[in-house]
Amino acid sequence: MNQPLVVRGHYADRTFVPDGPLPEAEGAAELIIIPTSGKAAVSVFDLFGKAPRLRTAEDIASQVREEHDAWGEP
């Protein structure tokens, strides 16, 4: 008897996205959705501008310069 294959992934916006490659096998399939509580997956782009303290470009450039200078390279 053939063992069933389990393809894990995520279902969002009416699209199934597998976590890995799909199997070469063919046959009948079922999609079982386990609802998650809370919000759906969040894109990193949804987080822009929501930091507790926003930093200016000058602040970031200064930090980068300090870290680079700490390397001791010319």
Side-chain angles (χ1 to χ4, degrees):
M1 179 170 124
N2 291 335
Q3 292 291 335
L5 300 171
V6 176
V7 178
R8 300 199 187 285
H10 297 83
Y11 183 74
D13 297 324
R14 305 191 74 146
T15 304
F16 178 75
V17 180
D19 287 342
L22 293 173
E24 295 292 325
E26 295 184 2
E30 295 180 22
L31 175 62
I32 300 171
I33 300 171
I34 303 168
T36 57
S37 61
K39 293 170 39 176
V42 177
S43 166
V44 69
F45 297 106
D46 294 333
L47 303 176
F48 283 134
K50 295 184 180 178
R53 185 179 72 86
L54 298 178
R55 299 170 54 197
T56 65
E58 291 80 20
D59 291 340
I60 296 169
S62 174
Q63 178 187 352
V64 169
R65 272 192 304 277
E66 289 173 14
E67 291 175 358
H68 183 267
D69 291 344
W71 295 341
E73 296 179 8

